[in-house]
Amino acid sequence: MQDTVLLVEDDEAIAEMLAQVFEKSGYRFRQCGSGEEAVIRVKTRPPSVVLLDIGLPGIDGLETCRQIRQISQVPIIMLTARDTEVDKVVGLEIGADDYVTKPFSPRELVARVKAVLRRSNDVVDAPLIVEVGGWVIDSGRHHVRNGDGEPITPTAKEFDLLRYLAENAGLVLSRSQLLEAVWGYDYFGETRTVDVHIRQLRKKLDGIPIETIWGVGYRMSDT
Ligand code: CA
C-alpha cells in the first residue's frame, strides 16, 4: 500500500518541489496551507506521516502539532527555519518525532520519512507485549500501563524508544545506539533528541525504571 505524506506549508514553491520529489519516490503526496486545515485532514483522512512547517499563516506549526497530538499518534516531522535549540526541543516536547532545518535537501527529508515509517511499520512484526518491572508495554494497542493503572499513550517515537529499552532491559545503551535503533539513522540526528524523549517518558510514565548512566547513556532496570 502506498504511504501518504501530508505537507503543511504555505510556501507554494516548497510544496511543488516536495510534491515532485515524494511522488517520484513512490509516495502519495497531499498538501494544505494552514494548521487549522491540517488538524481536520488528520481527523478525516489520516496520512501516514505529517511534514509540518513551523511558520504558518494562522496557528503556527507548534500549536498545530499540539492539536494533532490530542487526536492522533501519526508520525510528525517539523520543518523549521529557525535553527535554534529552543525550537527543536519545544517541537520534540510537544510530540513531534523529528525535525529538519531549512534549507534542507529533499533527499534528506525523504530519508527521514522512510526512517519514521520503517519504525512505525516494524511494530507489526515485533512481539506485541513486553513486560518490565510491573510495566506492560502493549504494541498492539500502542499504550503503556503500570499494573492495573490507566493506559497511557506516548507519541510514536517515545513508544518506540520505550519498547527498545524494555526489549533490552538490564543493558546499558548509548545515546547513539538508541538514535540508530529508534530513529533509523546515525548521523542526521543529534543525541539531544534522545534526552528530550527520555525526559518526556519519565514525565508521562511516573516511576518508569529508566536509569541515566552518566557519560554513557540509559538503562531500563529489569528488576
Ligand atoms: Ca511557511
Side-chain angles (χ1 to χ4, degrees), residues 156-192:
K157 271 287 170 275
E158 289 163 6
F159 191 88
D160 292 345
L161 177 61
L162 177 70
R163 205 190 54 184
Y164 191 77
L165 283 162
E167 282 168 355
N168 294 284
L171 299 178
V172 178
L173 302 167
S174 72
R175 289 176 175 80
S176 25
Q177 256 175 309
L178 291 168
L179 203 56
E180 195 173 345
V182 176
W183 278 262
Y185 48 84
D186 55 1
Y187 58 94
F188 284 145
E190 295 162 30
T191 51
R192 180 113 171 90

Side-chain angles (χ1 to χ4, degrees), residues 9-10 53 55 102:
E9 165 69 280
D10 56 316
D53 188 38
K102 286 179 180 174

Side-chain angles (χ1 to χ4, degrees), residues 74-90:
V74 63
I76 298 176
I77 300 176
M78 306 288 305
L79 312 179
T80 168
R82 318 167 193 167
D83 189 17
T84 69
E85 193 68 13
V86 173
D87 278 334
K88 292 174 184 173
V89 172
V90 168

Side-chain angles (χ1 to χ4, degrees), residues 8-11 14 33 53-57 102:
V8 190
E9 165 69 280
D10 56 316
D11 184 330
I14 292 183
D53 188 38
I54 290 202
L56 292 169
K102 286 179 180 174

Side-chain angles (χ1 to χ4, degrees), residues 69-170:
R69 274 292 168 261
Q70 287 169 6
I71 54 167
S72 167
Q73 296 304 317
V74 63
I76 298 176
I77 300 176
M78 306 288 305
L79 312 179
T80 168
R82 318 167 193 167
D83 189 17
T84 69
E85 193 68 13
V86 173
D87 278 334
K88 292 174 184 173
V89 172
V90 168
L92 295 173
E93 278 181 352
I94 59 178
D97 296 279
D98 203 355
Y99 56 83
V100 291
T101 306
K102 286 179 180 174
F104 49 81
S105 88
R107 264 185 58 200
E108 180 185 339
L109 189 55
V110 172
R112 300 267 186 136
V113 164
K114 262 189 203 147
V116 158
L117 290 174
R118 191 166 52 232
R119 285 302 304 173
S120 54
N121 293 339
D122 270 0
V123 172
V124 179
D125 307 325
L128 281 183
I129 291 179
V130 183
E131 285 191 58
V132 111
W135 290 83
V136 178
I137 298 155
D138 187 332
S139 299
R141 295 191 176 83
H142 195 94
H143 69 209
V144 185
R145 262 185 305 118
N146 187 2
D148 296 329
E150 282 291 302
I152 297 158
T153 305
T155 68
K157 271 287 170 275
E158 289 163 6
F159 191 88
D160 292 345
L161 177 61
L162 177 70
R163 205 190 54 184
Y164 191 77
L165 283 162
E167 282 168 355
N168 294 284

